[in-house]
Amino acid sequence: MSNKRKILVTGISGQDGNILLNRIQENENWELIGITHNLHRAKKIIANRCHLEYWDFKKTDVIEEILRNHKPFLFLNLASFAKGIGMFDNADEMSLVNGLAVVKMLEAIKKISPNTRFLQAGSSEMFGDTAVTPQTEETEMLPRSPYGASKLFAHNMVKIYRKTYDLHASNLIFYNHESIYRTDSFVTKKIVKGAVAIKKGLNKNLKLFNLNSSRDWSYAPDFIEGIFIVADQKKASDYIFATGQSNTVRHLCKIVFNYLQLDYKNYVIETNPNSVSDSNLIGNPSKIESLGFHRSKNLNEMLIEMVEHELKNFKET
């Protein structure tokens, strides 16, 4: 136990936290400590698979005490707050959790455990209204929502603390990434769950906002593998995690419904087809790929895995 490298992780009960926990349990060289603001929910999801610490993202002394007790090799901030389809609801809470809390983390590391390596999970939403496609780590960021702005604040603070205090602090710029752990609020899970429900005869149709909306979608477990690549780098830096390709919601529907031997056109209802379609957020992953990052599943394989998982759950119920 004493020879294990410790990872302190916020957002432990989310998609990425779950995947990370599975990854760590298969590796005897690491020990994971999860930070949560909701112990009851986290214990229910994690089910005693790792040690949990409570922090509400507000009190500086609490995060300092956690760092003092564990002195981790790596502090990974996966926590992210977003509410509402447009990422505009609860802007004050978003600013606190996604932005100011990161400063508290960096301050605690600087004060208590300056050798700890810090990784901040950012978002493609930081690029917002950029006219540059695909985006690189140097592309100007023009967020169009409180969510993107709060993530950009944290992103910039990581760069400032890295330069000013020589902390090993890196930014992970995550584009959309999906897995079997996605919740119903994400369009990939909505499509998969809706299509399976139709196949099972439980629903007659699936309502989606805009089928021409497009994103750069990746397989989430690949991002978790990439985290360890960044953590082991001698120098901290910023990295885009993406595929470099954009696909529409319509294309996702085709893949999922075709796999279930259904024609999506007979079941999917587009509720706002005339809305402006987002298509500019495409990441250039060449920097992280130069370090050995690769993708284990393409879009088709990822969606089929999600469908199979959903079918299995239906069989169990």
Side-chain angles (χ1 to χ4, degrees):
M1 182 68 73
S2 60
N3 293 327
K4 290 187 175 183
R5 292 200 289 184
K6 290 184 177 182
I7 304 181
L8 199 60
V9 183
T10 66
I12 189 61
S13 57
Q15 169 187 254
D16 295 347
N18 266 282
I19 297 170
L20 179 67
L21 185 53
N22 292 337
R23 165 71 158 73
I24 291 297
Q25 288 184 317
E26 297 173 357
N27 191 320
E28 297 180 354
N29 297 320
W30 295 91
E31 176 186 355
L32 190 147
I33 301 99
I35 295 178
T36 179
H37 71 286
N38 189 331
L39 274 174
H40 178 73
R41 179 176 181 273
K43 285 179 179 178
K44 186 176 180 181
I45 295 174
I46 301 305
N48 298 319
R49 291 157 65 205
C50 76
H51 178 77
L52 291 172
E53 295 277 6
Y54 172 78
W55 182 42
D56 65 359
F57 299 99
K58 297 174 185 176
K59 296 180 180 179
T60 303
D61 59 326
V62 174
I63 189 60
E64 287 183 356
E65 185 64 20
I66 292 172
L67 272 170
R68 189 175 290 112
N69 290 338
H70 296 287
K71 295 286 180 67
F73 169 80
L74 180 64
F75 189 154
L76 174 59
N77 181 34
L78 295 175
S80 187
F81 179 88
K83 194 173 182 182
I85 295 176
M87 300 184 179
F88 283 82
D89 297 349
N90 252 350
D92 55 343
E93 191 75 6
M94 266 191 276
S95 300
L96 173 63
V97 176
N98 299 342
L100 187 57
V102 177
V103 179
K104 294 181 183 296
M105 297 173 204
L106 291 166
E107 274 293 314
I109 291 172
K110 176 169 71 78
K111 180 179 178 181
I112 306 298
S113 185
N115 291 324
T116 292
R117 298 186 175 193
F118 182 75
L119 301 184
Q120 162 64 16
S123 168
S124 60
E125 290 296 325
M126 297 186 297
F127 290 110
D129 285 323
T130 180
V132 179
T133 303
Q135 296 87 45
T136 71
E137 290 79 6
E138 305 304 320
T139 300
E140 183 182 9
M141 295 180 175
L142 302 167
R144 54 194 166 195
S145 68
Y147 176 82
S150 64
K151 282 290 189 179
L152 178 55
F153 173 75
H155 177 90
N156 285 333
M157 292 306 289
V158 167
K159 294 173 74 171
I160 289 170
Y161 272 71
R162 181 170 70 216
K163 182 178 180 179
T164 306
Y165 304 109
D166 199 30
L167 294 184
H168 196 292
S170 297
N171 283 303
L172 315 173
I173 307 170
F174 284 173
Y175 282 64
N176 292 61
H177 51 295
E178 318 299 319
S179 75
I180 61 173
Y181 296 102
R182 268 305 187 210
T183 61
D184 295 355
S185 61
F186 290 83
V187 70
T188 47
K189 181 62 179 292
K190 285 181 182 178
I191 294 170
V192 168
K193 188 173 182 177
V196 170
I198 291 170
K199 181 69 175 180
K200 293 291 183 178
L202 300 179
N203 285 338
K204 292 183 178 180
N205 55 60
L206 171 63
K207 294 181 179 180
L208 296 173
F209 191 71
N210 185 345
L211 296 183
N212 291 322
S213 181
S214 62
R215 286 289 185 274
D216 185 330
W217 273 290
S218 294
Y219 183 53
D222 292 341
F223 282 17
I224 301 305
E225 292 303 316
I227 284 172
F228 289 93
I229 294 175
V230 175
D232 283 335
Q233 295 308 304
K234 206 166 189 181
K235 291 184 178 181
S237 190
D238 305 327
Y239 299 92
I240 281 178
F241 285 69
T243 67
Q245 298 178 348
S246 181
N247 286 284
T248 64
V249 173
R250 187 185 307 278
H251 185 59
L252 269 60
C253 288
K254 287 181 181 179
I255 294 172
V256 171
F257 279 82
N258 283 349
Y259 184 71
L260 294 169
Q261 297 181 318
L262 299 170
D263 186 344
Y264 83 96
K265 296 176 184 177
N266 296 330
Y267 304 98
V268 176
I269 298 173
E270 195 173 15
T271 60
N272 201 340
N274 296 320
S275 61
V276 177
S277 301
D278 299 324
S279 60
N280 62 322
L281 294 182
I282 305 171
N284 181 343
S286 58
K287 185 175 178 180
I288 186 66
E289 287 177 345
S290 71
L291 301 180
F293 174 78
H294 67 279
R295 281 167 284 282
S296 65
K297 278 183 169 56
N298 61 31
L299 183 66
N300 285 51
E301 293 166 333
M302 176 189 77
L303 290 170
I304 289 171
E305 180 178 270
M306 293 175 70
V307 171
E308 287 295 335
H309 179 77
E310 191 67 26
L311 286 168
K312 182 180 177 180
N313 284 345
F314 266 84
K315 289 178 182 178
E316 293 174 352
T317 55

